[in-house]
Amino acid sequence: MNNRAWFYALGDSGVERLKDVEYLGTIASMCLNSEYAAALFEGKVQLHMMEGDDQQEQRQTRLFPDGDRKEHIVSHALTNDFLFYGTDSGVIVCILVEDWQMLNEFRHPVGIKKVFPDPNGTRLAFIDDKSDGFLLSPVNDSHVEIPSFSPTITGVLWETWPSDKGVFVSFDDDKVYTYAMHKNTIYGPRVVFVGSTKLPFSHKPLLLYNGELTCQTQSGKTSSVALSTHTFLTHTHSPGARTHTPEELSKQLTQALMLKRFPEAWELCKALGGPAGWAEMGRSCLIHMEVDLAVRLFRMSGDVGMVMSLQGIKGIEDRSLLAGHLAMFLNDYNLAQDLYLESSCPNAALEMRRDLQHWDRALMLAKRLAEDQIPFISKEYAVQLEFIGDYVNALSHYEKGMTHNNKEHDEACQGGVARMSIRMGDIRRGAAQAIAHPSRVLKKDCGVILENMKQFSEAAQLYEKGQYYDKAASVYIRCKNWSKVGELLPQVSSPKIHLQYAKAKEMDGKFKEAAQAYESARDWDNVIRVLLEHLNNPEDAVRIVRETQSIDGAKMVARFFLRLSDYGSAIQFLVLSHCNDEAFQLAQQHGQMDSYADIISSEATQEDYQSIALYFQGQNKHLQAGKFFHKSGQYSKALKHFLKCPNTDDNLAIEMAIETVGQAKDESLTNQLIDYLMGESDGMPKDAKYLFRLYMGLLQYREAACTAIIIAREEQSAGNYRNAHDVLFSMYTELQTQKIRIPAEMNTNLMILHSYILVKIHVKRGEHLKAARMLIRVSNNISKFPSHIVPILTSAVIECHRAGLRNSSFSFAAMLMRPEYRHNIDPKYRKKIETMVRRPDTSEIEEESTPCPYCGFMLPQCELICPGCKNNLPYCIATGHHMLKEDWSVCPHCEFPALYSQLILLLETESVCPMCSETLSVNQVEKMDDCSSFLHPDQSEH
């Protein structure tokens, strides 16, 4: 009060009054720290200890300004270590409290209104008499203006949260303004305005801690206000907080980055999810020169190029050079240039400008930094100027680009000089330089420019020198210089030029040269025309029509042959030219319909086929009429004609009738043909093989199978066992392909026939026991071999006797002694067989037993039905024995199973599969570990 102050200690025991102090004037303001008090009165500051006796206090009291200084202090502040004060003349002084020494003095051009040091005393915010705000670093007197600083501001508070020291707020009666001090950025130290927060009525800010402002209200109590610039804290620090929209998250991310709160920003990026957030944070890290963190962030955003660029500059220690690179990555090229020029590598500025194609600036920098680069930059600048059409300056820069010691570079500049000279009208100089220059491409470029300028003779000359013969000939044609065109023609590939030349030669009456030029131009119609009309050379014309399939050419050739009365050739070429109606009429008039039908077959329409069929119908040629009705899709008429065919071409007609019915899929036609084949229409049944083919053509596989069994039975009865075997085998494989169950009768008949075929193979190989076992199987079904009962039983007797199966041999011998067979026995065996019957020997080698592949039951190896599991067992095509699980292989052609060990033995003497007769070698046979797909085919399909 007035010039007195009372000091109290707030201890555990309550409030204790320490002392009161009387000052030399009325107190304007007072500051305290833990030990000292500083009072401002009448332009002076008195600093003294708060505890201790009066004598000690006098020793520990000091008045500022001291000595002769006449400054008038208007504001002061006290931290733990320092006393700061500001004067009306613009001086800010820093005093070290411990030994009363002045550490620093800063002079501002305008008087100071208020000073606000941060808690450490390393930074100081002050307001001057113009109400502008500044931030001062007393360590080195560097100061920056505070942006967006309101003239109504009355105070500043520093953030007291230890992890966020660079943040402060300024405030007036209505609002609080948040700022962040960024010490280490590519722009140098700077202060950023983050945002403002509205203050509740009559709230006075006292303390700022982690975005929360503690204020004093009108009643003297305290109240908290959350700054709107720190809303991101509600997302990152409150797990139960409501979910924010992407717009809110994006705004919070911007706030966190302005306050350099990277951990919170990282969490916000994760919440946002997309690459945009990571990229924004990455750019902020580039500004703050946080390279390692930026690498991680750009990796998260998927920006591979930026990651690689940053990894390339990681180890740079020169701060200016590093900042220059980062400014360039942020597209701030002017700043990057300034930073590069400050660094230990100023040439980086030149390289940047060259890469950006800022040629004017690059040339200015090259004059200062690297004069030897001027020619190269000039050349690159000239290329750009040429591109945009500034030919005057381009020529000047091409001329400046000459080095006289770099051949490749100088040639590029000479080429530019040649082009620019021509463009600016100095054709003689430009053309001469282009001709002297080694580059073909330059000659072409200059030729194009001259051609556009209508300077044809010079353009053609340059094209010719550059070996662009097509272009040269084209320009010579525009000059009507035919002799030059003729000289260049052998090197010219363009058909257009050959065509122009051919027309000129034809007009001159030089037909042979014209024909050659037309041929070079690939204008086949004109070649054919000249060959026929002027050179009378039909052979070459016909060859060209056949090679090129030219329609107009074919018409010309057809007319030519018609004049010669060669109707067959005329028809052929009319068809080639798609004049089918004319060709048909010609064939009709001159009896050439067979030729016409042969010629047109590949590309005729349904109407064409119908016309031909009607013609042959009128001629009573049933086979041809049926054939063409079939091609035109009129199956009923086609069948009628096929069935009318005389017996001479009966076979072909029936085959075609079967094909017709197969395609027609019409039940009445099918029944008509079946009646014909069964002989119901003419009383003459046809061969059963046709009925079999019909069912196959109709995809009626079950009926085909029944027919196949009948055919096989007929063949078998006739003694054609191989034919019967092949019919059954082909039907078996067809049914398997169509996944239709094989009839049991077919399976059994095929097995018995195959056993018969194996007998000859075993006898030839001297394996009499195997032959005897197969003959026993065949003899047990002897009724299926009616033509050869006696020979088969005789063979069975002999082979069984040889193999030691005496009982079996006796039983077959006894069968042969029946009256119906006895007289047919071969005389040389009869006596021996009679002896066997008279003196029977019932000894028999017991048949070897092997396991059933299904259930493992042991049964004789030639038995094909298992007594254990009642399954029909698959048989080996090499021996006729039942299959064994552990010795399984299949023929790669027909996929019938065989015992691997036995098939390998058989193939030592045989070269074909005994079932399908396809060529087979040991190398093609592989042993199978798993045969379940053969044993259980139904399961493997599922």
Side-chain angles (χ1 to χ4, degrees):
M1 189 172 86
N2 296 334
N3 66 337
R4 294 187 72 186
W6 290 264
F7 294 87
Y8 298 86
L10 306 179
D12 295 338
S13 55
V15 180
E16 179 193 345
R17 181 172 153 186
L18 293 176
K19 61 158 65 169
D20 63 11
V21 179
E22 198 168 327
Y23 297 97
L24 302 174
T26 302
I27 298 163
S29 66
M30 179 171 266
C31 300
L32 311 177
N33 65 17
S34 55
E35 295 177 4
Y36 291 90
L40 171 64
F41 54 87
E42 296 176 1
K44 294 184 182 297
V45 169
Q46 183 176 336
L47 180 66
H48 62 87
M49 286 187 81
M50 289 183 288
E51 295 186 48
D53 55 27
D54 292 344
Q55 199 174 3
Q56 189 182 4
E57 187 186 326
Q58 277 183 337
R59 265 203 327 274
Q60 294 291 348
T61 298
R62 184 80 178 270
L63 203 62
F64 299 98
D66 53 359
D68 306 331
R69 299 179 73 136
K70 299 285 187 266
E71 295 157 342
H72 186 80
I73 297 172
V74 290
S75 174
H76 76 299
L78 191 62
T79 69
N80 279 340
D81 300 309
F82 305 106
L83 167 68
F84 293 93
Y85 64 79
T87 70
D88 57 358
S89 60
V91 178
I92 296 174
V93 177
C94 174
I95 307 289
L96 181 62
V97 173
E98 191 178 327
D99 56 6
W100 312 103
Q101 292 300 312
M102 183 176 77
L103 292 180
N104 185 54
E105 183 179 316
F106 169 75
R107 294 191 175 272
H108 187 62
V110 182
I112 306 300
K113 199 187 280 184
K114 287 187 178 180
V115 292
F116 305 97
D118 72 353
N120 293 334
T122 54
R123 296 190 190 93
L124 177 89
F126 67 89
I127 304 171
D128 64 13
D129 286 344
K130 289 183 177 176
S131 295
D132 292 330
F134 294 88
L135 197 65
L136 170 69
S137 175
V139 179
N140 57 8
D141 283 358
S142 64
H143 66 289
V144 288
E145 189 170 356
I146 301 171
S148 309
F149 200 76
S150 169
T152 58
I153 283 179
T154 55
V156 171
L157 281 176
W158 284 88
E159 176 65 83
T160 54
W161 189 52
S163 302
D164 210 3
K165 291 176 183 166
V167 175
F168 63 93
V169 296
S170 62
F171 55 87
D172 53 21
D173 292 341
D174 299 323
K175 284 185 178 177
V176 180
Y177 306 90
T178 308
Y179 295 93
M181 167 66 189
H182 295 159
K183 186 180 175 186
N184 190 27
T185 72
I186 58 172
Y187 307 107
R190 66 175 189 170
V191 177
V192 177
F193 173 62
V194 183
S196 60
T197 309
K198 188 140 180 60
L199 264 180
F201 176 71
S202 196
H203 276 50
K204 297 283 181 281
L206 302 174
L207 177 76
L208 175 63
Y209 183 84
N210 195 18
E212 194 174 283
L213 198 62
T214 304
C215 302
Q216 185 180 22
T217 63
Q218 224 171 355
S219 63
K221 293 180 179 177
T222 59
S223 169
S224 292
V225 175
L227 296 181
S228 63
T229 53
H230 287 62
T231 54
F232 59 87
L233 294 172
T234 62
H235 172 82
T236 53
H237 290 186
S238 315
R242 68 180 181 85
T243 52
H244 296 269
T245 65
E247 290 76 17
E248 288 173 331
L249 288 171
S250 183
K251 185 181 171 189
Q252 289 174 8
L253 176 62
T254 306
Q255 290 175 348
L257 293 175
M258 287 174 86
L259 292 166
K260 204 180 170 186
R261 297 282 286 263
F262 290 146
E264 288 86 351
W266 183 278
E267 293 302 319
L268 287 161
C269 287
K270 275 164 64 176
L272 270 166
W278 298 112
E280 186 183 347
M281 186 175 170
R283 285 191 293 275
S284 179
C285 287
L286 296 186
I287 291 170
H288 291 288
M289 301 177 69
E290 298 277 356
V291 177
D292 289 332
L293 181 56
V295 168
R296 287 176 61 200
L297 289 158
F298 283 114
R299 193 172 279 135
M300 297 292 278
S301 76
D303 190 339
V304 180
M306 188 63 91
V307 171
M308 292 179 74
S309 300
L310 289 170
Q311 284 177 333
I313 64 166
K314 247 184 179 180
I316 295 174
E317 292 180 4
D318 182 333
R319 190 193 171 284
S320 296
L321 181 59
L322 179 64
H325 285 315
L326 296 173
M328 180 173 69
F329 297 158
L330 289 164
N331 301 334
D332 192 341
Y333 304 120
N334 292 339
L335 174 63
Q337 177 175 315
D338 295 342
L339 288 164
Y340 282 141
L341 292 173
E342 286 171 20
S343 75
S344 58
C345 182
N347 277 2
L350 174 59
E351 285 169 26
M352 178 188 75
R353 290 299 183 189
R354 283 182 74 169
D355 290 342
L356 293 167
Q357 300 187 355
H358 295 168
W359 303 115
D360 284 326
R361 296 196 179 198
L363 281 169
M364 287 165 64
L365 287 167
K367 281 174 190 167
R368 280 173 54 190
L369 301 169
E371 288 195 351
D372 59 324
Q373 291 299 307
I374 290 174
F376 300 101
I377 296 168
S378 292
K379 177 241 172 183
E380 288 167 358
Y381 193 12
V383 170
Q384 188 182 5
L385 290 167
E386 180 181 358
F387 180 73
I388 61 172
D390 186 350
Y391 302 128
V392 177
N393 287 320
L395 176 60
S396 162
H397 282 288
Y398 274 128
E399 286 170 340
K400 285 179 192 167
M402 299 295 287
T403 61
H404 306 295
N405 59 10
N406 185 324
K407 187 183 175 197
E408 193 178 329
H409 172 82
D410 286 355
E411 282 179 359
C413 290
Q414 286 163 357
V417 170
R419 288 193 301 276
M420 295 310 99
S421 300
I422 292 170
R423 287 201 183 279
M424 291 170 62
D426 193 347
I427 291 168
R428 184 171 293 178
R429 177 193 178 193
Q433 282 208 331
I435 289 168
H437 200 279
S439 166
R440 285 180 65 220
V441 176
L442 176 66
K443 294 178 178 65
K444 179 189 172 187
D445 292 344
C446 292
V448 169
I449 297 166
L450 287 164
E451 193 179 346
N452 291 337
M453 292 167 72
K454 306 279 191 289
Q455 303 294 319
F456 297 125
S457 60
E458 291 88 348
Q461 190 184 356
L462 274 173
Y463 284 138
E464 192 178 346
K465 291 280 185 192
Q467 299 174 2
Y468 292 98
Y469 299 115
D470 285 18
K471 300 281 283 178
S474 170
V475 178
Y476 278 130
I477 286 170
R478 292 175 80 172
C479 309
K480 304 279 191 267
N481 190 341
W482 295 108
S483 62
K484 266 295 197 183
V485 176
E487 280 175 36
L488 294 177
L489 215 55
Q491 281 106 356
V492 171
S493 60
S494 166
K496 190 176 169 187
I497 291 160
H498 284 284
L499 189 61
Q500 287 174 304
Y501 184 73
K503 285 176 180 171
K505 285 293 166 190
E506 192 179 351
M507 285 173 74
D508 288 352
K510 295 178 179 173
F511 300 116
K512 196 168 183 182
E513 289 174 35
Q516 285 172 348
Y518 278 129
E519 195 163 344
S520 300
R522 308 180 76 78
D523 185 348
W524 306 115
D525 292 348
N526 275 322
V527 177
I528 294 161
R529 180 178 57 75
V530 172
L531 285 170
L532 294 174
E533 289 180 8
H534 300 296
L535 297 173
N536 198 22
N537 186 350
E539 292 85 359
D540 282 349
V542 167
R543 174 181 59 78
I544 291 168
V545 168
R546 288 192 195 286
E547 285 172 4
T548 62
Q549 300 291 304
S550 162
I551 291 171
D552 290 335
K555 280 184 189 171
M556 286 188 265
V557 173
R559 283 199 294 272
F560 182 83
F561 281 122
L562 207 53
R563 286 201 297 273
L564 296 177
S565 303
D566 183 347
Y567 301 116
S569 301
I571 288 167
Q572 186 179 356
F573 286 98
L574 280 171
V575 169
L576 261 179
S577 60
H578 303 308
C579 299
N580 292 357
D581 290 343
E582 292 95 317
F584 181 77
Q585 285 162 13
L586 197 62
Q588 216 172 5
Q589 286 165 16
H590 299 283
Q592 297 279 336
M593 193 58 73
D594 286 323
S595 304
Y596 174 69
D598 288 342
I599 292 162
I600 203 170
S601 59
S602 60
E603 52 188 56
T605 62
Q606 303 279 22
E607 289 78 14
D608 292 333
Y609 286 134
Q610 187 177 349
S611 304
I612 297 168
L614 289 167
Y615 173 81
F616 282 126
Q617 184 179 326
Q619 301 278 318
N620 283 331
K621 292 183 177 176
H622 296 299
L623 184 65
Q624 287 97 321
K627 187 168 145 188
F628 286 99
F629 274 128
H630 171 231
K631 284 186 175 180
S632 70
Q634 297 182 40
Y635 300 119
S636 176
K637 287 183 180 177
L639 183 64
K640 189 171 88 181
H641 281 287
F642 286 136
L643 299 186
K644 276 185 186 174
C645 283
N647 288 338
T648 48
D649 39 15
D650 192 34
N651 284 1
L652 182 59
I654 293 177
E655 295 280 2
M656 294 206 68
I658 290 168
E659 190 184 333
T660 303
V661 168
Q663 285 182 7
K665 294 186 174 46
D666 182 328
E667 202 173 331
S668 65
L669 294 184
T670 306
N671 294 334
Q672 197 178 329
L673 181 56
I674 290 171
D675 289 347
Y676 175 76
L677 293 175
M678 301 295 266
E680 289 184 20
S681 50
D682 57 3
M684 290 172 62
K686 307 300 179 288
D687 195 327
K689 69 182 180 188
Y690 296 120
L691 197 58
F692 170 65
R693 280 185 203 153
L694 173 62
Y695 285 132
M696 290 295 284
L698 294 169
L699 311 181
Q700 294 178 2
Y701 296 109
R702 285 192 173 80
E703 291 83 350
C706 295
T707 313
I709 292 167
I710 293 163
I711 293 167
R713 202 179 293 147
E714 285 176 5
E715 292 282 5
Q716 213 168 329
S717 299
N720 301 329
Y721 305 123
R722 187 79 216 184
N723 289 0
H725 177 278
D726 291 347
V727 167
L728 289 178
F729 168 72
S730 61
M731 194 63 229
Y732 186 103
T733 51
E734 185 63 46
L735 291 177
Q736 253 188 343
T737 307
Q738 302 302 328
K739 294 189 171 49
I740 295 168
R741 190 173 290 282
I742 315 293
E745 188 184 353
M746 178 182 284
N747 210 344
T748 308
N749 286 358
L750 180 60
M751 181 270 292
I752 293 165
L753 282 165
H754 190 66
S755 300
Y756 177 78
I757 282 163
L758 284 176
V759 170
K760 288 183 182 174
I761 296 171
H762 292 326
V763 171
K764 189 172 85 175
R765 287 172 51 81
E767 294 184 324
H768 297 295
L769 182 59
K770 287 179 185 171
R773 294 286 182 209
M774 291 301 102
L775 276 165
I776 290 169
R777 184 183 287 164
V778 171
S779 300
N780 289 338
N781 294 278
I782 197 68
S783 62
K784 296 187 187 295
F785 299 85
S787 330
H788 294 83
I789 291 175
V790 174
I792 289 170
L793 288 174
T794 307
S795 299
V797 170
I798 293 161
E799 286 301 315
C800 287
H801 194 270
R802 270 187 192 165
L805 305 177
R806 302 292 166 82
N807 192 36
S808 299
S809 180
F810 164 70
S811 50
F812 295 133
M815 203 184 292
L816 275 170
M817 287 297 108
R818 288 179 190 170
E820 65 265 31
Y821 304 141
R822 191 169 188 167
H823 300 297
N824 296 330
I825 300 172
D826 192 324
K828 65 181 176 185
Y829 297 123
R830 187 182 295 161
K831 194 168 270 188
K832 196 174 181 182
I833 291 168
E834 284 171 354
T835 308
M836 273 184 203
V837 176
R838 286 197 194 100
R839 298 196 193 91
D841 180 355
T842 55
S843 64
E844 182 105 6
I845 297 171
E846 194 175 329
E847 189 174 348
E848 189 183 335
S849 290
T850 48
C852 163
Y854 288 99
C855 65
F857 184 88
M858 299 299 284
L859 72 158
Q861 58 186 13
C862 287
E863 191 63 54
L864 297 183
I865 297 176
C866 174
C869 57
K870 307 294 186 236
N871 271 317
N872 281 326
L873 306 185
Y875 56 90
C876 165
I877 59 173
T879 62
H881 299 166
H882 69 72
M883 288 297 294
L884 300 175
K885 225 175 185 178
E886 64 279 356
D887 193 18
W888 201 291
S889 67
V890 295
C891 166
H893 304 298
C894 62
E895 296 190 350
F896 268 78
L899 294 167
Y900 176 74
S901 55
Q902 297 299 324
L903 186 57
I904 296 296
L905 279 172
L906 183 78
L907 291 174
E908 287 174 4
T909 56
E910 304 298 313
S911 59
V912 295
C913 166
M915 178 59 80
C916 63
S917 302
E918 292 285 339
T919 306
L920 189 61
S921 69
V922 175
N923 302 335
Q924 290 172 276
V925 181
E926 291 180 11
K927 190 170 184 179
M928 294 180 68
D929 298 326
D930 181 17
C931 57
S932 54
S933 60
F934 290 91
L935 295 173
H936 308 286
D938 296 342
Q939 288 178 19
S940 64
E941 278 173 27
H942 296 308

